[in-house]
Structures are given as C-alpha cells and as structure tokens.
Amino acid sequence: MIRGMTGYGRSSREVAGLTIAVEVRTVNHRYSEVQLRMPRALAVEEAALRRHIGERLGRGRADVTIRLDRAGGEPCEVELSRAFVAGLLQAADVLKKEFALPGSLRVETVLGFPDAVTARPVDAGFGDDERAALVAAVDEALHGVDAMRLEEGRVMEADLRGRLATVGRLNEAIRQRAGELPGLARARLAQRLEALLAGDARLDEGRLEQEVAVLADRCDVTEELVRLAGYVEQAAAILDDGGESHGRRLDFLLQEMNREINTIGSKAGDAEMGGLVVDVKQELERIREQVQNIA
C-alpha cells in the first residue's frame, strides 16, 4: 500500500500536572524534512524527535508543534536589580530635599519599572515519565497523519494502476505497428522504383529486399519495447509491495521509461507510431506528477 504526503494529526498527554500537546501537518516535498516548534525545555530532545519523526514519515515536509502546559503555570525566578532600586531611592530623596516635593516612592511604583526586576523561566526538568508521555503523544499524532496519507495513497494507487495499464496497451499498439512497418516500407519502395523505371527495366527483387532489411533494422524498436514493458511490470509490482520508498523507486523507473520511449520516438518514421509515442509520453508525465506525491 502506497502513502501520500498530505496528512494531519494531533494528540495530547497529561503526566504529573504537565499537559503535552502535539500537532503534526505534512505536505509534499521531494525529500524528508522535519520542522520542529517547541519550548526550550525540550531542546535536548530535539535530535531524537527529529530522527524518530523522519523515520516514521519518509518523504515529505512535516511541521510539528509541541506545547507544554503545567498546572499553576511555568515556574520562574525573579531577580531584583538592587543597584537600580537604590538609584531610584536616591533620586527620590534628592527630589524631596532639593525641590521640596511631597510624596514617597512606593513598592508598586518601583515594580512598575522594567529594569527593577527580571523574571526568568526555570527549567522544571523533563524526567522519564514526561519523556514517555511526549513520545506517546508524538506517535499518536503521527498515527493520525499516517491514516490520512494511506487514504490519499489508495486514491493515487488506483489512478497509477490505470495509467500503467494504459502505457502497457499503448506499448503493445506500438509493437504491432512496428511489425507492420517493414511490409509498408517495402510496398512504398517498390511503388517508387516501379514509377522510376516506368517499364524500362525489370525490378531487382533482391536489391529491394536488401533495402527493406536495412530500413527495418534501422527502425527496429524491439529491445526498447521489451524494456518498457518490463518497467511497467516492475512499477505494478512496487504498488503491490508492502515495503517503503515507493516514491523513489517509481521515480527511478519513470526515468527509464522515458528514456526508452524517447528512443522509440527517435526511430519512429511513421506518423501513426509517432502519435502512439506521444500518447505514452503524456501518460508517463501524468504518472510522474502523481509519483511526486508519494512518500
């Protein structure tokens, strides 16, 4: 079963007053790319999370958001700038003495100055229980993503199988037309020679057959057709395979299919056969567009 690249999943876990919320969104991308947005408290977990998510999802871009919410709020420490407060008190004393201004400097006034106190978050620690809850939340969100990607994959697989079958039928039509070309070439060549000779000389059948054989050998596409048919079979087998990296494997086969059909097109000296080649190229391009969406 193939997988698409578009998906969404979310999950949350609670442990020891800590709520861990995870949200994952995935979109198409040629390679595997994981973007993480999470609190600084999880910095030490980043490398392991990025590797774990990348291995689970394969190709595609994943935007992962992790939020932590502790009951009672995040712990923090408040640092008092004693030098700044001392300066404020000294300035207040000068105002009262030199300018005879009434009033007093109150605590709430001092706290209103941004430079008077500084609040810094305190790392509350991330123990084994919290780490296990984090991994469980991530895995559950990834499961939701995977379910959506599998559904997308089912739709794409049906389309790909139909298009591969079309390429197979067109390949057979090219083979049949290629088999007719030597006879058609012989008839055309004989007609031209008879017109040129106009009854003045007898047509050399041996020379005619030799020229037809040379022309047939030059236009022979048997090897290319056999290889193209083999690649179509391999692509269908990949769709049947339950393994990974379907997108990369199909992408490689498409390159080879295009190589063969381009060679066939360069040898085709017949309008009908050329039209069939164009039809194959169109189907391969549609397949390539779908393959870009496969993880």
Side-chain angles (χ1 to χ4, degrees):
M1 174 64 70
I2 66 173
R3 288 171 170 79
M5 292 193 207
T6 305
Y8 174 81
R10 63 182 303 173
S11 178
S12 64
R13 287 288 190 279
E14 292 186 12
V15 55
L18 173 67
T19 300
I20 303 171
V22 179
E23 186 177 56
V24 181
R25 300 174 185 269
T26 63
V27 294
N28 298 348
H29 197 278
R30 186 174 181 181
Y31 304 106
S32 175
E33 180 180 328
V34 179
Q35 295 290 330
L36 280 171
R37 288 188 291 274
M38 58 188 186
R40 286 182 297 176
L42 296 178
V44 295
E45 311 294 335
E46 180 175 354
L49 284 172
R50 191 181 299 277
R51 183 170 57 254
H52 178 67
I53 295 168
E55 290 173 353
R56 280 284 304 272
L57 294 178
R59 286 207 308 177
R61 174 191 168 100
D63 291 305
V64 183
T65 302
I66 302 175
R67 297 181 179 88
L68 302 180
D69 183 16
R70 293 188 183 275
E74 292 295 329
C76 65
E77 62 180 13
V78 178
E79 181 180 346
L80 175 66
S81 176
R82 288 176 168 78
F84 182 81
V85 174
L88 282 178
L89 293 172
Q90 184 179 2
D93 190 55
V94 169
L95 289 173
K96 292 173 65 175
K97 290 181 179 179
E98 294 188 11
F99 298 96
L101 294 176
S104 60
L105 193 59
R106 300 172 61 84
V107 172
E108 55 267 29
T109 304
V110 174
L111 292 176
F113 286 89
D115 296 329
V117 292
T118 304
R120 292 188 178 86
V122 176
D123 186 3
F126 214 71
D128 292 339
D129 291 343
E130 289 86 357
R131 190 172 292 106
L134 171 64
V135 173
V138 169
D139 282 340
E140 186 174 8
L142 292 177
H143 181 74
V145 170
D146 199 46
M148 290 186 64
R149 295 175 81 168
L150 278 171
E151 182 59 34
E152 182 184 29
R154 277 191 284 269
V155 175
M156 289 192 295
E157 181 178 342
D159 182 72
L160 287 173
R161 288 187 186 278
R163 296 196 183 282
L164 286 172
T166 299
V167 172
R169 288 193 297 270
L170 290 170
N171 188 56
E172 177 60 21
I174 292 173
R175 187 190 66 76
Q176 292 180 3
R177 183 61 180 176
E180 298 170 357
L181 291 183
L184 295 173
R186 186 187 189 286
R188 285 196 298 267
L189 186 57
Q191 185 178 15
R192 290 175 184 174
L193 288 174
E194 288 176 353
L196 288 172
L197 294 173
D200 295 336
R202 181 174 176 272
L203 181 64
D204 187 345
E205 291 289 341
R207 181 60 185 274
L208 175 61
E209 296 300 333
Q210 183 180 4
E211 292 296 329
V212 171
V214 171
L215 182 61
D217 183 67
R218 189 181 306 157
C219 299
D220 182 38
V221 292
T222 302
E223 292 183 10
E224 290 82 1
L225 290 171
V226 169
R227 284 194 292 267
L228 179 57
Y231 293 141
V232 170
E233 290 179 2
Q234 290 182 52
I238 288 175
L239 296 180
D240 294 331
D241 181 21
E244 301 296 331
S245 302
H246 294 92
R248 291 188 179 91
R249 294 159 65 192
L250 287 171
D251 194 49
F252 171 76
L253 285 179
L254 278 172
Q255 294 178 34
E256 299 306 309
M257 289 184 201
N258 275 297
R259 195 191 317 276
E260 300 303 335
I261 198 62
N262 285 333
T263 302
I264 293 171
S266 67
K267 291 183 176 182
D270 174 71
E272 182 177 333
M273 189 169 164
L276 292 170
V277 168
V278 171
D279 290 343
V280 172
K281 287 184 176 181
Q282 289 178 341
E283 286 301 314
L284 291 179
E285 176 59 23
R286 295 186 183 107
I287 292 174
R288 187 195 67 79
E289 292 173 354
Q290 284 286 41
V291 168
Q292 302 310 307
N293 300 322
I294 297 176

